Amino acid sequence: YAGSPAAEAGIKAGDRLLSINGEPMERWNGARLRDLTQKSAPGTGLELQVKRGERAWKVRLLLREFI
C-alpha cells in the first residue's frame, strides 16, 4: 500500500520475502508474523531480505502504530 512502511522501504507487489530478522521465511507462519507486528512497539525495526527477479537485498523498516 502506498505510504506503508513496506512501500517506503521500496518493497513492491510481487517481491519475495526471504527472511525476517535473519530467520528464513520457512520458520514463520501467519500467527507468528501477526504476533510480531501486533506486539512490537511502534518504531521497532525489522530487517527484511527481499528478492525481486534475480536481485536480492536487505532493507530495514520501522513498524508504525496500526490505526
Side-chain angles (χ1 to χ4, degrees), residues 17-25 27-28 32-33 36-37 40 44-50 58-63:
L17 190 55
L18 302 177
S19 68
I20 300 174
N21 291 339
E23 289 190 54
M25 289 310 298
R27 296 185 188 167
W28 291 89
R32 185 170 178 218
L33 185 55
L36 173 69
T37 57
S40 297
T44 299
L46 299 177
E47 183 183 84
L48 306 178
Q49 185 175 15
V50 180
K58 291 182 181 177
V59 343
R60 185 162 176 85
L61 62 83
L62 299 178
L63 297 177

Side-chain angles (χ1 to χ4, degrees), residues 3 16 43 52 60-61 65:
R16 185 169 167 221
R52 182 182 302 146
R60 185 162 176 85
L61 62 83
E65 186 173 354

